[in-house]
Amino acid sequence: MTGGIEEQMQLLRSRAAELSLREDWKEYINLYSHLISLCDHHHHHHHHSPGSDAKLHKTLCLALSNRAEARSRLRELSGALEDCDRVLEIDPTHLKALICKGKILLDLDRYTQASDCFQRALVYQGTGNAEALRRLLERCRRLEAQSRTGSLDISDWLLNGFGGNPPELAEYVGPVEVRRSANGGRGLSATKSVEAGTPLVITRAIAIGRGILPEKAGGSGESARMVMWKDFVDKIFDATEKCSRTLYLIYTLSAGDEEGDPGIPDMGLFSPEASKESFFLENKEPDVDKILKVLDVNCLTEEAFSAKVLGKNSGYCGFGLWILPSFVNHSCCPNARRLHIGDRVVVHASRDVKAGEEITFAYFDVLSPLSKRREMMSKRWQFHCHCERCRFEEKVFLVQELREIEMALESGSDAGGVVARLEEGMRKWMVKGREKGFLRASFWTAYSGVYESEKLIRKWGRQVPAEAVVAESVAEAVGGDERVLKVLLGRLKKKGGIGGSAGGGLQMERAMRLGRGTYGKVAKKQGMRTLLELALASNAH
C-alpha cells in the first residue's frame, strides 16, 4: 500500500534538497506539510501490515523532523516544537527530533529542558554526534548556572578586543519585581539589598533596529532613521505573529494612555520556563495601534546616558525593545545602568541599592543643575521629576548664593572659583552625606573643568577636594557614570597610578569600584582594567 507514497516521497525529497540549497524554507515547509498530510491520510484510510506501518512511521517522522528544522530557521519555534513532540511520541529515540528540539529549547532559554533532550540523544546516538552533543550539553549547563546566579564574565571577549561573536548570555531575572511606583504607575523594585555592580536583569531584545546613520544632520539621517524604524516595527510584528508569549509580554507594557489599571504582572511570566497556559490571549491577532503606542513609550536607545554598548562600530545607532527593562522609570539620582552586549541588555545596580528601593535609570544627563534638568524633562520627556534629589535641590536653590554660583557656571567663570564657592557654601549650609553628592553632580562640569586642567589645580588645589573624594561622592548620589570615571582615571594616569605603581594601588581600587558601578560586575580584574583603559582612550579623542 505504501508503494505510491514511497515514490512520492522520493520525488518530494529530491525537490526538498533543491529548495534547501536555495534556502527557500517557506516552500520547503509547504512541501513537507503536503507529505505529512499524505502520510496521515494513508494511516487513517488504509489497513497496513506491520512492516508497511513501520515504513510509514519512518517516513512521517523524517518529514516532521525536516519541517521542524525549517520552521526553526524561520523562527516559527512553537510550530517546530510541536513537530518534534509529535515525532517523539511515535519514536522517543528519534535522534534528529531530539537534537532539533534541544536546539529550539536552548534558543528559547529553557536550558534544563534542552539539557534533557541532548542527554537522551547522547544515550541513543552512535559514535557520530557524541562530541557535538557534549558541546551542546556544556553550553546548556553553563547558561543554566548563569540563569540562576546572573554572574557573568566577559573578560576573554574584552581582552580579545571584542573579536568574534559577543559572549552568549543567559536570561536572568535577579532580585527585582514589578510594583506600584511611588510616583504613580508601575516600576521595578529591588526585593533585597544589593551592592553596586550586581546584575539585576539580563534579557534578550524582542527585536532591535540598528544601522550606521549618515554623518550629516538633516534629511538623509532622518530618512535613514525612518527606514530603520519601519524595519524594526516589521520585526516586532513578525515576532508577535509567530509567538503568543511575545505578544502577551508586549501587552504587559504601558501604552502611555492607560484607560484602566494596567495591573501588576506576575514575575513568573518573565521566566522562559513559564507554562504555555500563562500566556492565554482571547485574540491572537496583534492589536496594531496598541503595539505601536507601546513601542513609542518603551523602546530603549542603545546610545543613552545610562547605557554603554560594547563591541559596536562607530557612527552606528541602535534601539530595541527589552521587556523587563522597559518597566524602569527615571530618577535624577538613578541607581541602575545598562550594558548592551549583542542583542542582550544587562541591567545592573550602579550604586548600592536597599531592599524595597525602586530601580531607576537616568533618561537624560543628570550631571547638570536642576534648572537644566527641568528644561530637559518638559521639552523632551513631558514629565516632572519628584525624586529625592530634585526635592532637596528645590529647597536649597532658594538660597540666593547657590543661584549666583549657578549663574557664574553658566557665564563661563573660572571653574575653580565655582567649585571653591560651592564647597564653602555646603559647609555653611550644613549640607552632609549624599546631599553633598547631589550638588557636586549638579555642578560636575565645574569639577571636571578643574581636574582636567593642571593650571586650575595649581591655582585652586587647596580649596578643591581630591578627585577621588568627589568621584565617590557623586557615584554614591547618582550611581556610576563613565564621565566621572574618565576624570578619575585621567588624574590617576597623570600621577602615574593607573599602571599600578606604588601608591596607586588604593586609587586603582577606587577606580575599579567606580568601574563596577559604571559597567557592572561583568569581568575579572584584568578584564575590568581593559574596560578602564578603553574609557581612558576614548577620553583622549
Side-chain angles (χ1 to χ4, degrees):
M1 233 16 249
T2 55
I5 194 170
E6 271 177 26
E7 280 162 36
Q8 285 205 36
M9 173 67 177
Q10 279 310 104
L11 279 170
L12 287 172
R13 279 179 73 179
S14 60
R15 173 91 179 102
E18 246 175 74
L19 291 168
S20 155
L21 281 172
R22 294 216 310 262
E23 297 196 358
D24 184 349
W25 302 116
K26 279 196 169 150
E27 202 41 53
Y28 184 94
I29 288 167
N30 291 338
L31 200 72
Y32 274 112
S33 298
H34 176 57
L35 183 62
I36 289 161
S37 54
L38 273 178
C39 288
D40 287 340
H41 180 80
H42 254 270
H43 186 71
H44 292 303
H45 295 88
H46 299 277
H47 293 291
H48 311 288
S49 64
S52 67
D53 220 10
K55 268 185 176 173
L56 192 64
H57 275 160
K58 197 174 173 186
T59 300
L60 179 60
C61 287
L62 189 64
L64 282 163
S65 59
N66 282 351
R67 183 171 75 175
E69 283 193 340
R71 280 177 152 179
S72 75
R73 279 173 185 270
L74 293 181
R75 308 284 308 152
E76 291 170 9
L77 301 183
S78 47
L81 270 182
E82 280 165 20
D83 282 349
C84 291
D85 284 338
R86 200 176 154 200
V87 174
L88 296 168
E89 263 171 41
I90 300 168
D91 174 8
T93 69
H94 196 282
L95 201 59
K96 192 171 182 178
L98 273 172
I99 295 172
C100 183
K101 182 178 179 180
K103 285 179 175 172
I104 294 165
L105 290 167
L106 186 51
D107 207 0
L108 289 167
D109 303 303
R110 282 147 68 176
Y111 315 114
T112 317
Q113 290 165 282
S115 264
D116 183 50
C117 289
F118 298 137
Q119 200 82 56
R120 281 164 57 199
L122 255 179
V123 174
Y124 301 132
Q125 62 92 44
T127 52
N129 287 334
E131 198 40 54
L133 280 169
R134 281 195 194 96
R135 277 201 302 274
L136 283 165
L137 256 177
E138 179 45 45
R139 242 176 91 194
C140 285
R141 285 177 183 149
R142 183 172 44 77
L143 289 166
E144 201 221 342
Q146 205 191 90
S147 74
R148 283 198 312 271
T149 61
S151 64
L152 59 148
D153 181 13
I154 61 166
S155 300
D156 289 349
W157 189 50
L158 286 168
L159 296 170
N160 194 16
F162 305 116
N165 291 327
E168 195 178 13
L169 306 182
E171 270 308 281
Y172 169 71
V173 179
V176 292
E177 62 183 23
V178 179
R179 293 183 186 167
R180 295 263 166 241
S181 170
N183 305 319
R186 302 167 302 171
L188 206 59
S189 290
T191 55
K192 67 174 197 185
S193 298
V194 295
E195 60 177 34
T198 305
L200 302 169
V201 174
I202 303 173
T203 188
R204 192 202 310 251
I206 301 293
I208 286 181
R210 282 186 180 139
I212 307 276
L213 289 181
E215 286 293 311
K216 290 189 181 69
S220 57
E222 208 35 59
S223 61
R225 199 179 288 270
M226 288 305 293
V227 170
M228 270 167 64
W229 179 256
K230 188 189 173 307
D231 178 51
F232 165 71
V233 171
D234 288 347
K235 284 184 201 162
I236 291 281
F237 280 111
D238 187 46
T240 59
E241 277 159 15
K242 285 174 179 166
C243 174
S244 56
R245 175 179 188 259
T246 300
L247 183 60
Y248 193 102
L249 288 176
I250 287 175
Y251 285 165
T252 64
L253 297 174
S254 163
D257 60 351
E258 260 74 36
E259 296 283 301
D261 179 356
I264 300 293
D266 183 313
M267 288 308 288
L269 291 173
F270 303 103
S271 159
E273 309 280 345
S275 69
K276 232 173 151 180
E277 292 65 49
S278 319
F279 303 103
F280 175 72
L281 285 167
E282 281 185 7
N283 183 4
K284 296 253 171 73
E285 270 305 298
D287 177 339
V288 174
D289 265 6
K290 183 173 180 175
I291 291 172
L292 287 174
K293 282 179 182 164
V294 165
L295 294 181
D296 205 34
V297 179
N298 294 283
C299 278
L300 298 173
T301 55
E302 294 187 310
E303 281 292 311
F305 278 103
S306 53
K308 172 79 177 168
V309 186
L310 288 186
K312 71 172 178 68
N313 300 321
S314 62
Y316 127 123
C317 142
F319 48 80
L321 181 67
W322 292 266
I323 299 289
L324 258 183
S326 295
F327 283 97
V328 178
N329 292 315
H330 165 82
S331 167
C332 293
C333 42
N335 56 18
R337 289 179 64 79
R338 27 180 230 275
L339 198 62
H340 292 261
I341 299 173
D343 62 352
R344 301 256 179 193
V345 79
V346 181
V347 177
H348 69 267
S350 60
R351 57 176 171 79
D352 295 350
V353 176
K354 292 190 180 77
E357 197 179 327
E358 186 174 344
I359 302 303
T360 51
F361 287 144
Y363 283 12
F364 48 79
D365 184 7
V366 292
L367 293 185
S368 49
L370 180 67
S371 54
K372 277 260 182 347
R373 302 199 309 270
R374 287 272 149 92
E375 207 179 297
M376 194 81 69
M377 282 176 228
S378 55
K379 248 195 213 157
R380 166 83 173 82
W381 296 94
Q382 281 96 46
F383 71 79
H384 202 67
C385 182
H386 297 290
C387 70
E388 180 194 354
R389 177 179 171 198
C390 284
R391 292 198 308 272
F392 161 71
E393 287 186 13
E394 255 168 9
K395 261 198 326 236
V396 87
F397 268 89
L398 297 173
V399 178
Q400 178 64 29
E401 195 179 343
L402 191 59
R403 293 216 298 279
E404 285 167 14
I405 296 172
E406 189 182 336
M407 278 155 68
L409 177 67
E410 278 183 17
S411 67
S413 288
D414 177 331
V418 171
V419 170
R421 278 181 75 183
L422 181 65
E423 289 292 329
E424 179 53 38
M426 288 195 290
R427 276 193 292 277
K428 250 188 347 217
W429 313 319
M430 308 285 282
V431 175
K432 295 264 191 304
R434 251 182 101 197
E435 293 176 342
K436 239 182 200 176
F438 291 157
L439 288 180
R440 284 169 172 165
S442 286
F443 287 87
W444 174 251
T445 51
Y447 285 92
S448 65
V450 177
Y451 298 135
E452 286 168 346
S453 157
E454 287 301 322
K455 188 176 151 197
L456 289 179
I457 283 177
R458 278 198 301 275
K459 182 177 172 187
W460 295 99
R462 289 186 172 182
Q463 288 160 276
V464 173
E467 68 282 344
V469 170
V470 171
E472 282 176 352
S473 153
V474 169
E476 212 177 291
V478 299
D481 186 291
E482 205 171 33
R483 291 163 297 172
V484 178
L485 183 62
K486 282 177 182 179
V487 166
L488 179 62
L489 293 171
R491 291 293 305 145
L492 258 180
K493 190 173 186 190
K494 278 179 187 157
K495 293 173 177 176
I498 198 160
S501 67
L506 174 66
Q507 296 290 56
M508 197 57 203
E509 192 34 60
R510 286 174 134 168
M512 286 283 200
R513 205 163 56 234
L514 209 56
R516 288 192 287 273
T518 307
Y519 307 118
K521 292 179 184 173
V522 292
K524 300 270 187 312
K525 217 162 194 172
Q526 199 44 48
M528 187 54 84
R529 260 178 192 276
T530 303
L531 268 177
L532 299 185
E533 278 156 17
L534 285 170
L536 200 54
S538 67
N539 204 23
H541 296 153

